[in-house]
Amino acid sequence: MITLLKAAKTICLIACLGAPMAAFGLERETARMKTPSTAAEHLASERTIGKIEPVFEFHDAMPTGVSVSADGRIFVNFPRWGDDVPFTVGEIRDGKVVPYPDAAINEFDQARPGDTLGSVQSVVVDAAHRLWILDTAAPGFSTPVAGGAKLIAVDLKTNKVVKTIVLSSTILPTTYINDVRFDLRWGKAGVAFITDSSISGPGGIIVVDLDSGESWRRLTGHKSSSPDPAFVPVVEGERLAIREKGKPPTPFAVASDGIAISADGATLYYCPLSSRHLYSIPTARLLDRSASEEAVAEAVVDLGEKGASDGLEADDRGRVYAGDYERNSIRQRQTDGEWKTIAHDPRILWPDTMSVASDGYLYFTANQLHRQAQFHEGQDLRVKPYTLFRVRIDAGPVLLK
C-alpha cells in the first residue's frame, strides 16, 4: 500500500512539473517560429550567375544596338520609337554619347532619305574596320520611307561614309530590317545577311551583295522566320502583350530578329523574337540564287529551344549567344549543342543586342523594352538609366575577311 502511494505521488509530481515544462517549451518554439528574420541574407532567394559589369548608363533615349571595334570604340544606336532621339547613331566617347559619324547625317530629311538616317535599329563593325549602320527608315514601326531603308558603311579610320546600299527591291510595305551579319570573303566585296522582323507581315532573311548592292529575299513567311502562334511570353511575372485601355490584350508578334554567323561562315543562325527556338541554315543555300524556295526551306534546321531571345551573337570559338528576356539571362550554346547560362541577374532587364569584342568580353544592352507604354495601357514603366553591360567570355568576334 505504501509502495502504491509513493508511485502515485511520483506520477503526480512528473505530471505537475512536466505539463508546465512542456507548455513552456511549446510556447518558446511557437515564439521562435513567429519571429521573422530581419536579415535579408538569412532568407532564400534566386541566385545570380556570372559577373556582369556595367559599362555605360543611358539617361536619355533608349538604346537597342551596340558594337565594339577592334580598338575598343563603342557604338550604339537609338531607334526613333517615340523617345526624344536627337541622333539615332552615337559613339560613347569621354563619358558621354556623341552623334556618329556626325550630327548632320542624323537629321532625317525625307527629301533625301538615302543620305540621312531615319531610325537605326542596328550597328555592326565588320572585319574591314568599318561600322555598318542598318537604317529601317521606319520611325515608330511605320511603313518604310521609300528609298530610305539602307546599309551605310563608315570607315572608322576617317569617320566618313564610304558606301551606301539602298534596299529598295527587297523592302516590303511591312518590312522592319532588324540586325545584320557579314562575310567579306564572298564575291568581290562580301555579303550581308539581314533579318526582317516585321510585326505585321512576313519575316525573312535579306541577302545583300556588298559589291553590286543587289539584294534578294529568302525564307519569306517561312515558319522559322515567323512568330510562333503558340508562344506566350512572360516577363517580370506578366504576360507580354500589347495593352490599350478599354481593349483586350493582343499578342506582341515579332518575326525573325536575332542573327549570328558561325566562326567558319558556313552557318547562319537566326530566331523570331516571338519564339523560343533557334534555327540555322547553311549560308551557301542562301547565297545560291538558283536554289528554289523549296530547296532553301528544306535546308532549315530547328535547333530546339534556347529561351526567348531578342539578339543573337557568335564568337570565334564556335559558340552562339542568346539573350533570354523572360529569365533576365544571357545563354551560351556550346559546340556540342548544350546551352549554358553565363549571366543571370535581375538587372538584365530585356537583353537586346550583343557584341563580342576583341577584349574577351560580350557586351549587351539592357533597355527595359517590355516596360514601354504600349505594353501597359499607355503607362511608361521604364526606369532610367538603361545600361550597357559586359560579361567575360574569353573569346573574340567572328571576323570573316
Side-chain angles (χ1 to χ4, degrees):
M1 189 66 176
I2 295 173
T3 302
L4 290 173
L5 288 171
K6 287 182 177 179
K9 289 180 179 179
T10 302
I11 292 171
C12 181
L13 181 62
I14 292 173
C16 293
L17 293 175
M21 290 177 67
F24 174 73
L26 179 61
E27 183 180 326
R28 183 174 58 183
E29 180 65 19
T30 302
R32 185 176 68 83
M33 291 173 62
K34 288 182 177 179
T35 303
S37 171
T38 57
E41 63 272 12
H42 182 73
L43 303 177
S45 63
E46 188 173 10
R47 67 189 177 98
T48 59
I49 297 173
K51 180 184 178 183
I52 61 172
E53 304 174 15
V55 176
F56 191 82
E57 296 179 352
F58 302 90
H59 292 268
D60 297 306
M62 183 183 81
T64 56
V66 60
S67 192
V68 184
S69 69
D71 54 359
R73 296 170 68 182
I74 301 175
F75 302 92
V76 291
N77 65 268
F78 309 90
R80 291 185 164 116
W81 288 348
D83 288 342
D84 179 19
V85 178
F87 51 90
T88 188
V89 178
E91 179 182 1
I92 298 175
R93 192 186 304 162
D94 300 324
K96 60 182 180 180
V97 186
V98 297
Y100 190 83
D102 55 46
I105 196 173
N106 277 275
E107 293 182 10
F108 189 48
D109 183 353
Q110 295 211 22
R112 301 168 48 240
D115 300 320
T116 54
L117 299 176
S119 180
V120 173
Q121 180 63 31
S122 184
V123 288
V124 177
V125 175
D126 72 3
H129 203 55
R130 297 173 296 188
L131 179 74
W132 286 92
I133 297 170
L134 187 64
D135 185 8
T136 68
F141 294 98
S142 62
T143 298
V145 174
K150 56 189 172 292
L151 270 172
I152 291 182
V154 181
D155 185 342
L156 294 181
K157 293 180 181 178
T158 63
N159 299 315
K160 301 294 183 183
V161 173
V162 292
K163 195 173 190 68
T164 299
I165 300 175
V166 176
L167 307 169
S168 54
S169 63
T170 46
I171 300 299
L172 308 177
T174 57
T175 290
Y176 189 86
I177 49 178
N178 192 288
D179 208 350
V180 59
R181 294 295 180 268
F182 298 91
D183 185 345
L184 303 184
R185 305 170 304 169
W186 187 85
K188 294 182 179 180
V191 65
F193 302 95
I194 301 171
T195 48
D196 180 349
S197 66
S198 174
I199 61 173
S200 59
I205 305 294
I206 298 172
V207 187
V208 185
D209 181 336
L210 298 178
D211 177 52
S212 67
E214 186 178 5
S215 61
W216 57 96
R217 292 184 68 98
R218 289 301 197 184
L219 299 172
T220 298
H222 187 264
K223 176 184 176 181
S224 66
S225 65
S226 303
D228 179 354
F231 175 64
V232 180
V234 177
V235 188
E236 289 197 278
E238 297 181 349
R239 174 195 168 198
L240 181 67
I242 303 296
R243 299 177 188 274
E244 298 181 58
K245 284 187 177 181
K247 296 182 181 180
T250 58
F252 180 54
V254 183
S256 42
D257 187 304
I259 189 170
I261 194 166
S262 63
D264 60 4
T267 305
L268 190 76
Y269 300 95
Y270 61 99
C271 66
L273 184 142
S274 298
S275 170
R276 297 185 183 90
H277 282 245
L278 177 68
Y279 297 93
S280 71
I281 187 170
T283 51
R285 192 62 62 93
L286 295 172
L287 295 169
D288 183 1
R289 299 291 302 274
S290 66
S292 67
E293 287 301 317
E294 292 76 14
V296 174
E298 287 174 359
V300 173
V301 178
D302 185 343
L303 297 172
E305 291 200 3
K306 55 162 176 46
S309 306
D310 193 327
L312 294 177
E313 183 58 292
D315 67 25
D316 58 4
R317 293 174 56 182
R319 301 172 302 187
V320 177
Y321 299 84
D324 188 338
Y325 58 75
E326 290 183 297
R327 298 182 177 89
N328 308 96
S329 300
I330 302 293
R331 307 187 72 204
Q332 181 190 69
R333 187 176 188 267
Q334 311 299 296
T335 54
D336 62 1
E338 288 294 317
W339 286 95
K340 174 184 178 183
T341 298
I342 62 169
H344 171 63
D345 192 291
R347 294 173 294 173
I348 305 178
L349 290 165
W350 198 282
D352 197 313
T353 303
M354 295 176 285
S355 175
V356 174
S358 299
D359 59 7
Y361 283 89
L362 175 74
Y363 289 72
F364 62 93
T365 53
N367 61 16
Q368 305 173 50
L369 184 149
H370 62 290
R371 291 181 173 181
Q372 292 180 98
Q374 63 178 315
F375 305 116
H376 302 280
E377 298 186 342
Q379 184 178 4
D380 187 354
L381 301 181
R382 295 174 297 174
V383 179
K384 296 179 183 180
Y386 314 111
T387 312
L388 172 64
F389 291 105
R390 69 178 187 177
V391 60
R392 188 82 189 176
I393 60 170
D394 294 319
V398 173
L399 298 173
L400 301 171
K401 182 181 179 181

